[in-house]
């Protein structure tokens, strides 16, 4: 099993551009989530999903969209990138649909917005 | 806002010594988890302790939970240089779904 796979690993955007960070897991996990990590602030939850077709907001959802059309994939969309969205983004999944189990993380996507 | 806060922010010890990291949180929890992150990598789950548990062990790791004080501690015994990493506590509230992370403790183990 590959676990949780994130692409791309690195991306540079200009302010106002849009892009999608991809996340895929091959563990048949119902629960998936996106976090961003900024220096000195730990990880902050952006959005999460408890199954195909079901998503909800986390702590810092503004500026980000998600959808979940399959169990395996949970893409994160930035519609109009801002410098404040420069961060490292992590996707995570859990076997528990309510997120009560351990989280399995991808290796991260480092995004720079100029 | 962050639920968990780790203390200390950074810790430097010699190989073979024990390392203790503390975590405080604000609201009632379903469980508390500890994760490890090596520089530039994703987080790796270490241990999960449920709200009705007081202590849990896994290899050289010992986690305690005091729900009355809303605090937890992670003890790494006989530390090794390879334990050098950032350690995060994370809490899941009683409503489920949202695991919230603290800012982490940076541990440096000198060989």
């Amino acid at each position: 099993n590959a676990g949780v796979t994130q692409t791309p690993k690195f991306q540079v955007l200009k302010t106002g551009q849009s892009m999608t960070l991809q996340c895929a897991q091959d563990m048949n996990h119902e629960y998936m989530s996106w976090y961003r990590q900024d220096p000195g602030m730990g990880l902050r939850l952006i959005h999460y999903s408890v199954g195909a077709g079901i998503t909800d907001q986390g702590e810092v959802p503004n500026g980000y969209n998600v959808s979940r059309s399959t169990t395996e994939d949970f893409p994160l969309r930035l519609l109009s990138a801002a410098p404040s969205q420069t961060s490292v983004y992590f996707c995570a999944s859990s076997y528990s649909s309510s997120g009560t189990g351990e989280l399995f993380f991808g290796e991260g996507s480092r995004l720079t917005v100029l | 806002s962050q639920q968990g806060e780790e203390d200390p922010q950074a810790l430097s010890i010699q190989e073979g010594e024990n390392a203790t990291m503390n975590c405080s949180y604000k609201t009632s929890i379903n469980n508390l988890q500890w994760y490890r992150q090596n520089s530039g990598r994703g987080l790796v789950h270490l241990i999960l302790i449920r709200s009705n548990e007081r202590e849990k062990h896994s290899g050289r790791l010992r986690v305690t939970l005091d729900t009355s004080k809303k605090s937890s501690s992670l003890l790494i015994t006989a530390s090794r240089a390879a334990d050098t990493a950032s350690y995060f506590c994370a809490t899941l509230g009683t409503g489920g779904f949202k695991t919230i992370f603290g800012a982490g403790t940076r541990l440096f183990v000198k060989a």
Side-chain angles (χ1 to χ4, degrees), chain A residues 60-110:
Chain A
V60 288
N62 292 342
Y64 306 95
N65 279 1
V66 292
S67 60
R68 184 97 179 269
S69 56
T70 67
T71 299
E72 294 77 21
D73 301 299
F74 190 42
L76 178 71
R77 297 183 185 85
L78 285 72
L79 299 179
S80 179
S84 60
Q85 294 179 304
T86 293
S87 188
V88 182
Y89 292 85
F90 288 97
C91 180
S93 70
S94 174
Y95 54 82
S96 164
S97 61
S98 60
T100 53
E102 66 179 278
L103 293 171
F104 293 80
F105 280 85
E107 289 295 305
S109 296
R110 185 175 296 271

Side-chain angles (χ1 to χ4, degrees), chain A residues 7-79:
Chain A
T7 55
K9 287 185 169 47
F10 300 93
Q11 182 71 49
V12 179
L13 290 178
K14 294 181 180 177
T15 297
Q17 287 185 319
S18 63
M19 79 155 300
T20 299
L21 299 178
Q22 302 290 346
C23 176
Q25 52 90 11
D26 61 359
M27 297 173 283
N28 202 32
H29 286 172
E30 290 294 330
Y31 182 92
M32 296 184 74
S33 55
W34 277 101
Y35 289 87
R36 60 178 288 173
Q37 183 176 31
D38 301 295
M41 296 193 70
L43 281 77
R44 290 182 291 170
L45 180 64
I46 304 171
H47 285 286
Y48 67 93
S49 170
V50 299
I54 307 170
T55 65
D56 205 345
Q57 297 181 348
E59 301 173 277
V60 288
N62 292 342
Y64 306 95
N65 279 1
V66 292
S67 60
R68 184 97 179 269
S69 56
T70 67
T71 299
E72 294 77 21
D73 301 299
F74 190 42
L76 178 71
R77 297 183 185 85
L78 285 72
L79 299 179

